[in-house]
Coordinates of all heavy atoms in Angstrom, one line a residue:
A164 N 119.0 81.3 98.8 CA 119.9 81.0 99.9 C 119.4 81.3 101.3 O 119.6 80.5 102.2 CB 121.3 81.7 99.6
I165 N 118.7 82.4 101.3 CA 118.1 82.8 102.6 C 117.0 81.7 103.0 O 116.8 81.5 104.2 CB 117.4 84.2 102.5 CG1 118.5 85.3 102.4 CG2 116.4 84.5 103.6 CD1 117.9 86.7 102.1
A166 N 116.4 81.1 102.1 CA 115.3 80.2 102.4 C 115.9 78.8 102.7 O 115.2 77.9 103.2 CB 114.3 80.1 101.3
L167 N 117.1 78.5 102.3 CA 117.7 77.1 102.5 C 117.6 76.6 103.9 O 117.2 75.5 104.1 CB 119.1 77.1 102.0 CG 119.3 77.0 100.5 CD1 120.8 77.1 100.1 CD2 118.7 75.7 100.0
P168 N 117.9 77.4 104.9 CA 117.8 76.8 106.3 C 116.4 76.4 106.7 O 116.2 75.5 107.6 CB 118.3 78.0 107.2 CG 119.2 78.8 106.3 CD 118.5 78.7 105.0
A169 N 115.4 76.9 106.0 CA 114.1 76.4 106.3 C 113.8 75.0 106.0 O 112.8 74.4 106.4 CB 113.0 77.3 105.6
L170 N 114.7 74.4 105.2 CA 114.6 73.0 104.8 C 115.0 72.0 105.9 O 114.7 70.9 105.8 CB 115.3 72.7 103.5 CG 114.9 73.5 102.2 CD1 115.9 73.2 101.1 CD2 113.5 73.0 101.8
L171 N 115.8 72.6 106.8 CA 116.3 71.7 107.9 C 115.2 71.3 108.9 O 114.4 72.1 109.2 CB 117.4 72.4 108.6 CG 118.7 72.8 107.7 CD1 119.6 73.7 108.5 CD2 119.3 71.6 107.2
P172 N 115.3 70.1 109.4 CA 114.3 69.8 110.5 C 114.5 70.6 111.7 O 115.6 71.0 112.1 CB 114.7 68.3 110.8 CG 116.0 68.0 110.2 CD 116.2 69.1 109.2
A173 N 113.4 71.0 112.3 CA 113.5 71.9 113.5 C 112.3 71.6 114.4 O 111.2 71.1 113.9 CB 113.5 73.3 113.1
T174 N 112.5 72.0 115.6 CA 111.3 71.9 116.6 C 110.5 73.2 116.5 O 111.0 74.2 115.9 CB 111.9 71.7 118.0 OG1 112.8 72.8 118.3 CG2 112.6 70.4 118.1
A175 N 109.4 73.2 117.1 CA 108.6 74.4 117.2 C 109.3 75.5 117.9 O 109.9 75.3 119.0 CB 107.2 74.1 117.8
P176 N 109.3 76.7 117.4 CA 110.1 77.8 118.0 C 109.4 78.3 119.3 O 108.2 78.2 119.3 CB 110.1 78.9 117.0 CG 108.9 78.7 116.1 CD 108.7 77.2 116.2
N177 N 110.2 78.8 120.2 CA 109.6 79.4 121.4 C 109.2 80.9 121.0 O 109.5 81.3 119.9 CB 110.5 79.3 122.6 CG 111.8 80.0 122.5 OD1 111.9 81.1 121.9 ND2 112.9 79.5 123.0
G178 N 108.7 81.6 122.0 CA 108.2 82.9 121.7 C 109.3 83.9 121.3 O 109.1 84.6 120.4
L179 N 110.5 83.8 122.0 CA 111.6 84.7 121.6 C 112.1 84.4 120.2 O 112.4 85.3 119.5 CB 112.6 84.6 122.7 CG 113.9 85.4 122.5 CD1 113.5 86.9 122.4 CD2 114.9 85.2 123.5
E180 N 112.2 83.1 120.0 CA 112.7 82.6 118.7 C 111.8 83.1 117.6 O 112.2 83.6 116.5 CB 112.9 81.1 118.6 CG 114.0 80.6 119.4 CD 114.1 79.1 119.5 OE1 113.0 78.4 119.3 OE2 115.2 78.6 119.7
R181 N 110.5 83.0 117.8 CA 109.5 83.4 116.8 C 109.5 84.9 116.6 O 109.5 85.4 115.4 CB 108.1 82.9 117.2 CG 107.0 83.3 116.1 CD 105.6 82.8 116.5 NE 105.6 81.3 116.8 CZ 105.5 80.4 115.9 NH1 105.5 80.7 114.6 NH2 105.5 79.1 116.2
A182 N 109.6 85.7 117.7 CA 109.7 87.1 117.6 C 111.0 87.6 116.8 O 110.9 88.5 116.0 CB 109.6 87.8 118.9
T183 N 112.1 86.9 117.1 CA 113.3 87.2 116.5 C 113.2 86.9 115.0 O 113.7 87.7 114.2 CB 114.5 86.5 117.1 OG1 114.5 86.8 118.5 CG2 115.8 86.8 116.4
A184 N 112.7 85.8 114.6 CA 112.6 85.4 113.2 C 111.6 86.4 112.5 O 111.9 86.8 111.3 CB 112.0 84.0 113.1
I185 N 110.5 86.8 113.1 CA 109.6 87.7 112.5 C 110.3 89.0 112.2 O 110.2 89.6 111.1 CB 108.3 87.8 113.3 CG1 107.5 86.6 113.3 CG2 107.5 89.0 112.8 CD1 106.3 86.5 114.2
A186 N 111.0 89.5 113.2 CA 111.7 90.8 113.1 C 112.8 90.7 112.0 O 112.9 91.6 111.1 CB 112.3 91.2 114.4
G187 N 113.5 89.6 112.0 CA 114.6 89.4 111.0 C 114.0 89.2 109.6 O 114.5 89.8 108.7
G188 N 113.0 88.4 109.5 CA 112.3 88.3 108.2 C 111.8 89.5 107.6 O 111.9 89.8 106.4
A189 N 111.1 90.3 108.5 CA 110.5 91.6 108.0 C 111.7 92.6 107.7 O 111.5 93.3 106.6 CB 109.7 92.2 109.1
G190 N 112.7 92.6 108.4 CA 113.9 93.4 108.1 C 114.5 93.1 106.8 O 114.8 94.0 105.9
L191 N 114.7 91.8 106.5 CA 115.2 91.3 105.2 C 114.3 91.7 104.1 O 114.8 92.2 103.1 CB 115.4 89.8 105.3 CG 116.6 89.3 106.1 CD1 116.5 87.7 106.2 CD2 117.9 89.7 105.5
F192 N 113.0 91.6 104.3 CA 112.1 91.9 103.3 C 112.2 93.4 102.9 O 112.2 93.8 101.8 CB 110.6 91.6 103.7 CG 109.6 92.1 102.8 CD1 109.4 91.5 101.5 CD2 108.7 93.1 103.2 CE1 108.4 91.9 100.6 CE2 107.7 93.5 102.4 CZ 107.5 92.9 101.1
L193 N 112.3 94.3 104.0 CA 112.4 95.7 103.7 C 113.7 96.0 103.0 O 113.8 96.9 102.1 CB 112.4 96.5 105.1 CG 111.0 96.5 105.7 CD1 111.2 97.1 107.1 CD2 110.0 97.1 104.9
I194 N 114.8 95.3 103.2 CA 116.0 95.5 102.5 C 115.8 95.1 101.0 O 116.3 95.8 100.1 CB 117.2 94.6 103.2 CG1 117.6 95.3 104.5 CG2 118.4 94.6 102.2 CD1 118.5 94.4 105.4
I195 N 115.1 94.0 100.8 CA 114.8 93.6 99.4 C 114.0 94.6 98.7 O 114.3 95.0 97.5 CB 114.0 92.2 99.4 CG1 114.9 91.1 100.0 CG2 113.6 91.9 98.0 CD1 116.2 90.8 99.2

Side-chain angles (χ1 to χ4, degrees):
I165 287 170
L167 280 174
L170 296 173
L171 300 173
T174 58
N177 64 36
L179 179 59
E180 290 172 335
R181 184 176 304 281
T183 302
I185 290 170
L191 288 170
F192 174 66
L193 292 174
I194 290 169
I195 296 296

